[in-house]
């Protein structure tokens, strides 16, 4: 597995920019208990600057009955903030993120980016050649 990591040259990655658009099946959020599940749009963008240890992410989601949510996360090192773009949940205030909250927000976005998961595994000595990997 180490040979694979070296072949990928994960240390050469400086920035990652991912745009996602799709739908979500609303398990436990649908209007009907017995189905079919409601399907709602979701989109997001995650930009990671590995050299500067910065992350910018934005998500847009909709729930049944026309509830819309949009959030922007800005992280610089171990601190940052999240802002409710729709102003329907947190209002107009930016909510500060630091320590464990900032780390959790960062991991929430980067865990879906395979190069960053492999890089994390290599940096933390996680064995990824097993059936189950715990990070």
């Amino acid at each position: 597995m180490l040979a694979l990591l070296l072949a990928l040259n994960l240390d050469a990655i400086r920035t990652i920019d991912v745009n996602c658009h799709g739908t979500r099946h609303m398990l436990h959020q649908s209007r009907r208990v017995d189905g079919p599940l409601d399907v709602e749009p979701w989109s997001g963008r995650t930009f990671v600057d590995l050299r500067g240890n910065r992350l910018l992410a934005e998500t847009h989601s909709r729930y049944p009955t026309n509830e819309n949510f949009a959030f922007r996360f800005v992280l610089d090192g171990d601190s940052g903030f999240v802002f409710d773009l729709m102003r329907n949940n947190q209002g107009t205030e930016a909510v500060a993120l630091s320590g464990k909250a900032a780390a959790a927000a960062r991991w929430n976005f980067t865990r879906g980016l395979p190069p960053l998961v492999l890089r994390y595994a290599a940096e933390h000595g996680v064995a990824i050649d097993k059936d189950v990997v715990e990070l």
Side-chain angles (χ1 to χ4, degrees):
M1 185 51 73
L2 184 57
L4 173 63
L5 293 175
L6 294 174
L8 293 174
N9 196 14
L10 297 173
D11 289 334
I13 298 172
R14 297 293 178 238
T15 61
I16 296 176
D17 190 0
V18 178
N19 284 293
C20 301
H21 302 275
T23 57
R24 300 181 312 150
H25 289 82
M26 305 305 294
L27 183 63
H28 305 298
Q29 296 284 335
S30 289
R31 287 172 263 205
R32 293 167 300 280
V33 175
D34 56 349
L37 296 177
D38 289 321
V39 178
E40 297 290 343
W42 181 91
S43 65
R45 181 177 184 186
T46 302
F47 179 82
V48 181
D49 171 12
L50 292 167
R51 186 175 289 167
N53 194 24
R54 296 178 293 192
L55 177 138
L56 174 64
E58 192 168 301
T59 62
H60 296 264
S61 58
R62 197 170 87 195
Y63 288 79
T65 68
N66 205 27
E67 290 184 71
N68 295 296
F69 295 94
F71 295 95
R72 180 174 296 139
F73 293 80
V74 178
L75 297 169
D76 187 359
D78 295 335
S79 63
F81 62 91
V82 59
F83 185 76
D84 181 352
L85 297 171
M86 301 292 292
R87 300 179 181 169
N88 63 1
N89 191 32
Q90 294 170 227
T92 58
E93 295 181 19
V95 176
L97 299 171
S98 62
K100 289 183 179 181
R106 183 181 297 275
W107 184 247
N108 183 53
F109 290 100
T110 60
R111 69 182 177 187
L113 303 173
L116 294 184
V117 173
L118 290 173
R119 187 174 167 151
Y120 177 92
E123 290 172 352
H124 292 85
V126 175
I128 56 175
D129 56 350
K130 299 179 181 178
D131 291 338
V132 177
V133 177
E134 293 184 20
L135 298 178

